[in-house]
Amino acid sequence: MFIEDDAQMDSFWIQGAIGAIKAIAFVCDIITLPVYLVLQRPWKQRQESKRVKAKVVTKDSTAVTYRTIEPPRDVHIKMLQANIDTLEKMFNYVTRTHSTKRCLGTRQILSEEDELQPNGRVFKKYNMGDYKWKNFIEVERMASAFGRGLRECGQQPRRNVVVFAETRAEWMIAAHGCFKQSMSIVTVYATLGDEGVAHCIGETEVTTVITSHDLLPKFKVLLNKCPLVNTIIFMEDQLHKTETTGFKEGVKILPFSQVMRMGQESKFESVPPKAEDIAIIMYTSGSTGTPKGVLLSHRNCIATMKGFCDVVPIYPDDLLIGFLPLAHVFELLAESVCLMTGVAIGYSTPLTLIDSSSKIMKGSKGDATVLKPTCMTTVPLILDRISKGINDKVNAGSPFKKALFQFLYQYKIKWIQRGYHTPLVDKLIFKKIAKLMGGRARLMMSGGAPLSPDTHEQIKVCLCVDLIQGYGLTETTSAATVMDYRDMQYGRTGAPLTICDVRLVNWEEGNYRVTNKPYPQGEVLIGGECVSMGYYRLPSKTAEDFFEEDGKRWFKTGDIGEMHPDGVLKIIDRKKDLVKLQAGEYVSLGKVESELKTCTLVENICVYGDPTKQYTVALVVPNQKHLEELAQRNGLDSKSFEDLCSNPLMEKTVIKEIAEHAKKCKLQKYEVPAAITLCKEVWSPDMGLVTAAFKLKRKDIQDKYQHDINRMYAS
């Protein structure tokens, strides 16, 4: 009785306190509104957000094509004036332009030490120092030397070289060294399994592989599957000596620094590539089947750079933190744009990114805190994790702090929607959260997968950044559409870039037509200079997915989009993700997964639909902390995480929670999974269940969990 009274008193007190704060905020709004009206000119923001960004250039009853109405900007024009049509010309130009400005930065690892955990286990942690920088001239000299060093090792111009390494400064130096000798780089994800790596090396017939200290041991096994490889160059570790014995006889194992020294003394001249030469054979880790090599020419890469420079606001004093895989076209082109515009890149890894990252020693600072970047590229999975981390921190606070945060969060959203900034609220509350990424971040670019509107809004509000998402594919050199940073709507991917057209084509099977109301809908096709030449040694697949029309190359994406009246594209479905259930309803698996991933209990999810059944089922990787909290509330707190995942009562409880969350997300009843399996393992790229960009590999997941899928449908 007394406890209930105390709780009611607390609730009454909190409501009163929040009411008083609301009253103070209302008075402050009245006093400051005229000032903000003059200084911030919110009507301009609203106009910019709503302005039309693309126009229809061709239209009939089966297809409609859109083109941007935005003109090329300064950097694009400079690239045209300087006749930059290859990545080699681009780097020569930026070296002359930015010369002694800092270019690539690597953080020093001072030592690796054992750290005792509360549970008695010992983890290896890094004691880290500051960033060490190379300027543009130094990086260009290193790249030139490395390219000549490759020639000294016997590598011929216009032949393929594999780069199989984590993101770091040497990756970029190696790539530009290859470009200077007209060598095509074959990019392989560091997380790809042995079979995938051997396939990429074998198919491209390489003799030279560039790898790293951490990945070199894989080649003790891999070399038996790659008979043509005779040279392996490894990027050294800062702390540990690399073991180079025990490899296949006759294969040279050389450190990166030695190849550069060989190049410094070499007499070989550079062999500049042409625009139509292949710069990169980029293996997509692909959500289906064997990795496919996408042929990207220098012209393709330069086109995307021009398009990105026209829409992404970049300033000379910007600083990018690079940690996504450089084997992903989105990261490689975003970093290339930074080089073109003189923006320095400081390298990081997911293990050292923030203060709480797994390799950072207690009391030490993460890379973002030390570097204080202004820009970063990211993927929705990372943003979903940041979003859930913010929610956990808020929910762990007192009821008053929670209520205060909710009020201020909604207050900021209200003013953002009217076209205003909220400097006082940001300073008091949100700038503290923004310190998570160093405190200076102003721009985040998300790619690789659709970003949920809820996560988009929360990251923008809490981290005080402009978060823009783009849409593109490896086959379109990452280019297609990019959101305008002033756009106040969420869930859309932006207007066509200046270097390509976007077309919607009827897909009758899914009832997506360009005549649909209120918006034209259909399969998305991309046409322009950014479109790849095709797939490496897959002529029939190339002919199926690519075509030429009026001198322009087009790619059929398989994605379903709708175009809004302001010329902005929204991806609403994917051909492969659409399942028709027994009762005739269509379920977009990707859409359902995107919504359910925002549930705090869900770390990852794969929804499966059998066309002969009336409902879908789901494989759920649960968030361990939230699952254990839910178990505690249901009297199951004595069980381990593994036991909870296989507990039928826990499954039923999680289904209820997911169903509640689905209601909030406005999902239809038939879209909500009727049965679930809780998976004990976190899906990672090295398990082969997700790609390096963390897209689901549906076929592999289905194969692994077929027994569970059968059980769910049988129940």
Side-chain angles (χ1 to χ4, degrees):
M1 182 68 179
F2 290 120
I3 293 168
E4 276 183 33
D5 286 348
D6 284 349
Q8 282 173 348
M9 284 293 290
D10 283 349
S11 174
F12 182 73
W13 179 84
I14 289 166
Q15 284 173 7
I18 296 297
I21 290 166
K22 283 181 180 177
I24 293 166
F26 180 69
V27 173
C28 286
D29 289 345
I30 291 169
I31 295 167
T32 58
L33 190 60
V35 179
Y36 285 162
L37 196 66
V38 173
L39 293 177
Q40 297 187 7
R41 302 164 84 188
W43 64 90
K44 281 261 189 194
Q45 170 71 23
R46 294 195 297 269
Q47 280 169 1
E48 286 289 344
S49 174
K50 290 176 182 171
R51 79 185 196 284
V52 174
K53 302 165 188 78
K55 63 182 179 184
V56 174
V57 286
T58 62
K59 185 179 183 180
D60 59 33
S61 61
T62 62
V64 56
T65 306
Y66 295 85
R67 186 173 295 160
T68 182
I69 57 172
E70 300 289 315
R73 303 259 164 91
D74 291 352
V75 177
H76 186 153
I77 292 163
K78 277 179 190 166
M79 290 174 82
L80 291 172
Q81 288 169 340
N83 191 30
I84 294 170
D85 57 3
T86 67
L87 291 164
E88 185 260 352
K89 283 184 187 174
M90 181 275 288
F91 207 76
N92 289 342
Y93 173 84
V94 297
T95 303
R96 291 193 304 273
T97 309
H98 305 299
S99 55
T100 56
K101 199 175 176 188
R102 61 185 188 171
C103 180
L104 305 181
T106 302
R107 194 167 175 203
Q108 299 303 103
I109 302 172
L110 304 176
S111 61
E112 188 178 52
E113 297 176 21
D114 291 337
E115 187 177 276
L116 186 67
Q117 305 303 303
N119 61 8
R121 293 175 72 188
V122 173
F123 289 148
K124 296 275 185 197
K125 301 276 184 170
Y126 287 146
N127 174 24
M128 302 187 79
D130 287 327
Y131 272 85
K132 299 284 183 202
W133 293 92
K134 305 273 184 216
N135 65 32
F136 279 83
I137 290 173
E138 289 168 329
V139 171
E140 195 278 333
R141 282 178 184 158
M142 290 169 83
S144 293
F146 187 79
R148 290 195 299 272
L150 287 173
R151 297 286 304 277
E152 292 290 339
C153 293
Q155 180 67 26
Q156 294 301 309
R158 304 189 198 286
R159 297 298 303 268
N160 302 329
V161 178
V162 159
V163 182
F164 175 57
E166 307 90 347
T167 294
R168 52 195 284 177
E170 291 91 340
W171 200 111
M172 195 58 99
I173 290 164
H176 280 281
C178 292
F179 299 149
K180 284 174 179 295
Q181 296 294 335
S182 287
M183 297 168 190
S184 306
I185 62 167
V186 179
T187 65
V188 183
Y189 285 111
T191 49
L192 202 58
D194 285 2
E195 287 303 318
V197 175
H199 168 78
C200 301
I201 291 172
E203 187 172 73
T204 51
E205 298 179 339
V206 301
T207 56
T208 303
V209 173
I210 301 162
T211 188
S212 67
H213 165 90
D214 289 337
L215 294 171
L216 181 64
K218 279 180 172 277
F219 286 90
K220 289 185 177 179
V221 174
L222 276 172
L223 282 171
N224 297 323
K225 301 174 184 176
C226 309
L228 296 179
V229 174
N230 57 33
T231 307
I232 297 180
I233 298 159
F234 64 90
M235 304 168 189
E236 297 100 314
D237 186 76
Q238 289 192 42
L239 296 179
H240 306 290
K241 191 175 184 302
T242 306
E243 181 54 60
T244 57
T245 57
F247 290 86
K248 187 172 144 189
E249 221 171 288
V251 177
K252 290 179 286 189
I253 313 287
L254 304 170
F256 194 89
S257 56
Q258 185 183 329
V259 176
M260 274 205 305
R261 282 196 300 275
M262 288 160 66
Q264 282 162 0
E265 295 158 13
S266 172
K267 296 287 187 288
F268 280 112
E269 295 290 323
S270 67
V271 181
K274 298 185 181 74
E276 61 273 15
D277 287 346
I278 299 300
I280 306 158
I281 302 174
M282 188 158 277
Y283 274 87
T284 63
S285 52
S287 46
T288 54
T290 312
K292 297 191 293 284
V294 180
L295 299 167
L296 301 177
S297 67
H298 284 271
R299 181 177 279 115
N300 292 151
C301 296
I302 294 298
T304 292
M305 287 174 63
K306 288 172 183 169
F308 282 178
C309 287
D310 287 335
V311 76
V312 180
I314 300 167
Y315 306 110
D317 58 347
D318 271 328
L319 178 55
L320 180 95
I321 188 162
F323 67 95
L324 291 184
L326 271 165
H328 191 299
V329 66
F330 171 54
E331 179 69 13
L332 181 57
L333 270 296
E335 290 193 21
S336 297
V337 166
C338 288
L339 295 177
M340 182 63 213
T341 50
V343 169
I345 303 164
Y347 286 101
S348 177
T349 76
L351 302 178
T352 59
L353 184 63
I354 57 175
D355 296 355
S356 58
S357 291
S358 59
K359 272 286 189 181
I360 296 292
M361 196 188 298
K362 206 169 279 179
S364 291
K365 299 294 182 194
D367 298 336
T369 309
V370 172
L371 190 66
K372 294 183 170 50
T374 61
C375 305
M376 67 183 285
T377 49
T378 185
V379 290
L381 185 86
I382 290 169
L383 295 173
D384 286 338
R385 283 179 183 165
I386 293 172
S387 174
K388 284 175 184 172
I390 292 167
N391 290 336
D392 288 349
K393 211 157 191 176
V394 170
N395 292 331
S398 67
F400 172 71
K401 280 186 178 171
K402 199 171 164 182
L404 179 63
F405 179 85
Q406 289 302 335
F407 163 64
L408 292 172
Y409 183 84
Q410 293 304 327
Y411 174 89
K412 182 171 178 178
I413 286 170
K414 177 181 75 177
W415 286 106
I416 283 176
Q417 286 168 349
R418 292 171 180 174
Y420 288 90
H421 303 295
T422 55
L424 287 174
V425 171
D426 288 349
K427 193 164 188 179
L428 287 169
I429 299 288
F430 296 113
K431 286 290 183 189
K432 290 171 186 169
I433 302 172
K435 284 196 172 141
L436 177 76
M437 295 312 303
R440 287 180 64 227
R442 63 165 190 86
L443 180 69
M444 284 186 172
M445 294 156 284
S446 175
L451 179 61
S452 92
D454 289 346
T455 299
H456 195 153
E457 181 181 78
Q458 189 178 33
I459 296 293
K460 188 172 176 175
V461 169
C462 293
L463 296 188
C464 306
V465 292
D466 286 323
L467 172 56
I468 57 176
Q469 66 169 324
Y471 166 69
L473 304 96
T474 307
E475 290 87 344
T476 64
T477 327
S478 189
T481 68
V482 174
M483 183 183 163
D484 189 292
Y485 69 99
R486 293 157 295 199
D487 194 335
M488 288 153 71
Q489 288 192 53
Y490 302 116
R492 310 192 302 167
T493 64
L497 290 170
T498 50
I499 45 86
C500 64
D501 292 345
V502 171
R503 178 178 294 172
L504 298 182
V505 176
N506 287 356
W507 185 42
E508 297 293 344
E509 191 187 332
N511 295 319
Y512 291 113
R513 301 180 184 91
V514 297
T515 52
N516 284 3
K517 301 293 182 215
Y519 308 122
Q521 296 177 326
E523 182 185 356
V524 179
L525 275 58
I526 312 296
E529 277 200 350
C530 59
V531 176
S532 157
M533 298 161 82
Y535 298 114
Y536 187 69
R537 294 190 173 173
L538 292 171
S540 59
K541 184 66 180 157
T542 298
E544 187 185 322
D545 292 349
F546 296 85
F547 67 94
E548 299 272 340
E549 183 184 284
D550 299 330
K552 187 174 282 188
R553 193 155 179 77
W554 290 83
F555 175 67
K556 303 169 190 173
T557 68
D559 291 316
I560 305 298
E562 66 179 25
M563 195 65 87
H564 290 188
D566 58 353
V568 172
L569 180 71
K570 181 177 185 179
I571 301 298
I572 54 172
D573 219 328
R574 179 154 178 79
K575 274 180 164 182
K576 289 175 188 166
D577 287 358
L578 203 67
V579 173
K580 189 179 187 182
L581 298 179
Q582 194 182 38
E585 300 105 336
Y586 280 99
V587 177
S588 169
L589 304 179
K591 177 192 130 187
V592 174
E593 286 157 357
S594 176
E595 295 291 0
L596 295 185
K597 262 188 210 168
T598 60
C599 175
T600 53
L601 270 168
V602 177
E603 193 71 30
N604 211 340
I605 184 169
C606 178
V607 179
Y608 177 81
D610 183 335
T612 66
K613 300 289 190 290
Q614 292 188 351
Y615 58 92
T616 63
V617 296
L619 298 153
V620 177
V621 178
N623 179 290
Q624 186 169 345
K625 179 172 172 280
H626 288 290
L627 188 74
E628 285 166 354
E629 284 172 2
L630 186 65
Q632 213 166 4
R633 295 200 296 273
N634 287 272
L636 294 168
D637 47 331
S638 59
K639 294 188 178 289
S640 69
F641 176 67
E642 284 73 19
D643 288 342
L644 289 175
C645 287
S646 40
N647 186 298
L649 175 63
M650 209 65 228
E651 276 186 7
K652 282 178 188 167
T653 312
V654 172
I655 283 176
K656 272 187 196 165
E657 293 283 327
I658 284 175
E660 283 299 313
H661 187 79
K663 259 188 209 168
K664 289 179 202 163
C665 296
K666 296 186 174 61
L667 290 178
Q668 300 296 324
K669 199 171 180 187
Y670 63 82
E671 293 180 304
V672 184
I676 63 160
T677 292
L678 297 173
C679 306
K680 297 163 193 159
E681 302 164 300
V682 174
W683 299 338
S684 60
D686 48 6
M687 280 178 71
L689 300 181
V690 293
T691 71
F694 290 94
K695 290 179 188 170
L696 299 178
K697 297 175 91 167
R698 292 189 188 281
K699 183 76 176 72
D700 294 309
I701 292 171
Q702 187 186 332
D703 290 346
K704 182 174 171 64
Y705 293 101
Q706 190 62 57
H707 174 75
D708 292 295
I709 290 167
N710 296 344
R711 177 186 64 81
M712 286 188 281
Y713 275 121
S715 68

